[in-house]
């Protein structure tokens, strides 16, 4: 099949790379020349600066100029195309609705290019990014207005999680295809030939509107799981003595009907999807005259969770952030990505600055460049000048009064020793990801430990300063 990918971000690029792996002729188109040049270079570092996904750069390098091609000129690749995947950004607007301007503008370009084809063979235009219910019809209208003929519009939502996009594309749980005609279903079955009769992968054919709804329902349900655990399970273990969070998790999720995914309590779920999609779903339902109390609660719990630990540090640990130096460990919204969109760290920084911290010493294994894009512009907020950037957790910990673990990077599991070597008690460790299991050693040295999903543990040894004073007496 000749496939055109429109938009080469987190959705389009991995999808295009895996389509090329399956032997399709894939042309990936983007208006951003810098991006396209980076991909064309085939160089790992350049590709990963744009989209950082394990295995992606290797997959591109392997198929580049054989099955996978990049272009900024849609007209040059339109002839003979079978399927066009629309993989555009649909960012949230203030009222929760999705901004469809990138998608609409790309649909106009595609419509014009299709109108100029010499051979007008059947082509299916597929919405791959998450778009509001009814968007397939909208795209259909734009294509028609711009002169496209002999086409169908389908919805085939992407269910990938970042950090696992390539593996997830190679072995998805399910493929959902919403289309209007048998002809279009047949074309898409050829794209996904390796999955249509797979024993474990569900291949579902339905209407475009059902496919669009499946994606919103799925993401909102996943966020509901997380908010249930953060807002109920976590609160139980934080409020009553002697509750073991890990046992609570295992005990509840050993019921086959209850998912284990989502039971990992955290300082809130970030990323470009959950927050945006649940807000968009509420907006769509409200516009249809429906109330959305459940979704609103799920969303609010998640947003609150992103700065809740800073409040707990003040109220429970009596920690005053004013004029203190705080180390922020982890900036990305989850491990194995450099993406900071909607990350809990963004909210933590706002809360810390509002509480008057003197310095925030930031470190993330992958997201330092992204962090500087977010915060390096003092014009946005002069307080961002208080953030300093460091090459390692060890370095970032030097001279701080407290640290806050915001991302679940595996390397943070061994932090206890670094904390002990780089800082002095009294010191507060705020753990938004329950990364430090061996905190007993820290407690014995006089450090305080405040984890999500657990009560505050006070250092059991007198702090060094107090000890010295006592010794003097
Ligand atoms: C999410 C969905 O999981 C995908 O199925 C969906 O396709 C995607 O959105 C999308 O709409 O494109 P993603 O945002 O990449 O994927 O990442 P997740 O792995 O779901 O993590 C989201 C956030 O939830 C992260 O901050 C993560 O740390 C947090 N999380 C996850 C928890 O706090 N607790 C958990 O138990 C699991």
């Amino acid at each position: 099949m000749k496939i055109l990918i429109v938009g080469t971000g987190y959705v389009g690029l991995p999808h295009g790379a895996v389509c090329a792996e399956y032997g399709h002729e894939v042309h990936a188109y983007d208006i951003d020349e810098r991006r396209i040049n980076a991909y064309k270079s085939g160089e790992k570092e350049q590709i990963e600066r744009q989209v950082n996904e394990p295995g992606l750069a290797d997959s591109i390098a392997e198929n580049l100029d054989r099955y996978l091609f990049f272009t900024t000129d849609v007209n040059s690749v339109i002839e003979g195309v079978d399927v066009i995947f629309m993989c555009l950004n649909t960012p949230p607007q203030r009222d929760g609705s999705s901004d469809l301007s990138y998608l609409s503008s790309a649909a106009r370009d595609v419509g014009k290019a299709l109108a100029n084809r010499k051979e007008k063979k059947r082509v299916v235009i597929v919405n791959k990014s998450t778009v509001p219910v009814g968007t397939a019809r909208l795209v259909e209208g734009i294509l028609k207005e711009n002169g496209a003929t002999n086409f169908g519009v389908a919805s085939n939502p992407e269910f990938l999680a970042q950090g696992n996009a390539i593996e997830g594309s190679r072995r998805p749980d399910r493929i959902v295809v919403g289309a209007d005609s048998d002809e279009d279903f047949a074309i898409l079955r050829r794209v996904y030939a390796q999955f249509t009769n797979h024993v474990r992968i569900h291949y579902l054919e339905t209407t475009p509107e059902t496919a669009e709804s499946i994606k919103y329902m799925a993401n909102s349900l996943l966020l509901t799981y997380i908010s249930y655990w953060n807002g109920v399970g976590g609160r139980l273990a934080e409020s009553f003595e002697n509750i073991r969070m890990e046992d609570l998790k295992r005990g509840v999720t050993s019921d086959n009907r209850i998912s284990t995914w989502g039971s990992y309590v955290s300082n809130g779920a970030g990323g470009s999807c959950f927050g945006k999609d649940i807000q968009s779903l509420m907006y769509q339902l409200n516009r249809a005259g429906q109330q959305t109390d459940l979704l609103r609660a799920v969303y609010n719990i998640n947003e609150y969770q992103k700065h809740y630990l800073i409040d707990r540090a003040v109220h429970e640990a009596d920690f005053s952030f004013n004029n203190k130096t705080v180390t922020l460990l982890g900036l990305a919204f989850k491990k194995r990505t450099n993406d900071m969109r909607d990350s809990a760290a963004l909210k933590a920084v706002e809360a810390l600055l509002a509480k008057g911290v003197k310095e925030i010493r930031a470190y993330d294994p992958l997201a330092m460049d992204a962090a500087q894009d977010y915060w390096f512009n003092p014009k946005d907020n002069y307080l961002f000048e208080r953030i300093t950037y460091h090459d390692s957790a060890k370095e970032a910990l030097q001279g701080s009064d407290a640290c806050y673990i915001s991302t679940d990077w595996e390397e943070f599991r061994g932090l206890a020793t670094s904390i002990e070597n780089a800082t002095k008690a009294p010191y507060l460790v705020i753990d938004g990801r329950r990364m430090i299991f061996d905190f007993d050693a820290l407690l014995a040295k006089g450090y305080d430990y405040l984890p999500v999903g657990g009560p505050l543990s006070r250092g059991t040894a007198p702090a060094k300063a107090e000890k010295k004073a006592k010794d003097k007496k």
Side-chain angles (χ1 to χ4, degrees), residues 170-244:
R170 288 174 184 151
R171 260 173 296 278
D173 301 332
R174 79 285 215 193
I175 307 275
V176 173
V177 175
D180 293 316
S181 74
D182 287 344
E183 199 180 359
D184 294 347
F185 282 126
I187 291 175
L188 283 161
R189 259 179 246 140
R190 286 184 59 202
V191 173
Y192 292 120
Q194 70 277 23
F195 299 134
T196 46
N197 290 314
H198 199 283
V199 283
R200 246 169 288 183
I201 295 167
H202 300 279
Y203 193 86
L204 174 66
E205 292 180 344
T206 183
T207 67
E209 285 75 6
T210 313
E212 289 162 347
S213 305
I214 287 171
K215 178 62 194 267
Y216 282 106
M217 282 284 292
N219 268 7
S220 299
L221 185 56
L222 290 173
L223 187 58
T224 306
Y225 275 123
I226 294 175
S227 282
Y228 184 75
W229 277 99
N230 283 336
V232 184
R235 297 291 182 271
L236 270 169
E238 287 153 8
S239 311
F240 299 101
E241 277 185 20
N242 225 10
I243 295 181
R244 293 186 191 155

Side-chain angles (χ1 to χ4, degrees), residues 159-162 215 219 262 264 266 269-270 273-274 333-334 433:
F159 296 105
L160 293 176
Q162 275 175 236
K215 178 62 194 267
N219 268 7
Y264 142 47
S266 69
C273 307
F274 286 155
F333 81 96
K334 65 174 183 180
R433 295 285 183 159

Side-chain angles (χ1 to χ4, degrees), residues 11 53 130 157-164 173-174 215 218-219 222-223 225-226 229-230 260-274 276-277 302 306 332-335 337 339 341-344 406-408 432-433:
V11 172
E53 274 297 333
T130 309
E158 183 56 76
F159 296 105
L160 293 176
Q162 275 175 236
N164 191 39
D173 301 332
R174 79 285 215 193
K215 178 62 194 267
N219 268 7
L222 290 173
L223 187 58
Y225 275 123
I226 294 175
W229 277 99
N230 283 336
T260 52
W261 192 95
S263 66
Y264 142 47
V265 292
S266 69
N267 50 340
S272 63
C273 307
F274 286 155
K276 168 176 78 80
D277 293 351
N302 190 51
K306 292 180 185 171
F333 81 96
K334 65 174 183 180
K335 63 183 171 185
T337 178
D339 193 345
R341 283 176 294 176
D342 242 353
S343 162
S406 184
T407 311
D408 50 344
R433 295 285 183 159

Side-chain angles (χ1 to χ4, degrees), residues 419-420 423-429 439-449 457-467:
I419 293 172
E420 205 187 311
T423 66
K424 276 197 209 90
Y427 189 92
L428 177 64
V429 179
F439 59 85
D440 282 347
L442 281 177
L443 295 180
K445 298 253 160 50
Y447 287 71
D448 294 336
Y449 180 65
S457 297
R458 288 282 189 193
T460 49
K464 272 181 200 154
E466 284 171 36
K467 193 167 177 283

Side-chain angles (χ1 to χ4, degrees), residues 84-102:
I84 302 177
F85 284 104
M86 306 294 280
C87 307
L88 285 307
N89 238 356
T90 54
Q93 308 193 98
R94 265 171 189 274
D95 59 2
S97 62
S98 306
D99 177 359
L100 297 179
S101 58
Y102 301 109

Side-chain angles (χ1 to χ4, degrees), residues 326-432:
V326 178
T327 299
L328 178 58
L329 296 168
L331 307 170
F333 81 96
K334 65 174 183 180
K335 63 183 171 185
R336 298 205 292 175
T337 178
N338 62 348
D339 193 345
M340 285 178 64
R341 283 176 294 176
D342 242 353
S343 162
L346 297 173
K347 275 267 164 75
V349 161
E350 275 173 32
L352 290 170
L353 291 175
K355 297 227 175 306
V357 291
K358 182 168 69 184
E359 182 186 353
I360 298 175
R361 297 174 64 83
Y363 166 70
D364 186 285
L366 270 190
M368 298 314 283
D369 287 337
Q372 308 221 3
D373 286 347
Y374 266 93
W375 291 314
F376 210 54
N377 186 358
K379 266 179 275 155
D380 289 348
N381 181 345
Y382 72 96
L383 289 175
F384 291 161
E385 285 173 357
R386 295 188 184 177
I387 305 170
T388 56
Y389 303 90
H390 302 274
D391 291 334
S392 67
K394 237 183 187 165
E395 189 192 305
L397 283 162
Q398 294 295 335
S400 63
D401 304 293
C403 69
Y404 180 85
I405 304 169
S406 184
T407 311
D408 50 344
W409 287 106
E410 291 306 331
E411 67 171 73
F412 295 157
R413 295 226 176 267
L415 268 178
T417 319
S418 305
I419 293 172
E420 205 187 311
N421 290 340
T423 66
K424 276 197 209 90
Y427 189 92
L428 177 64
V429 179
I430 306 168
D431 190 348

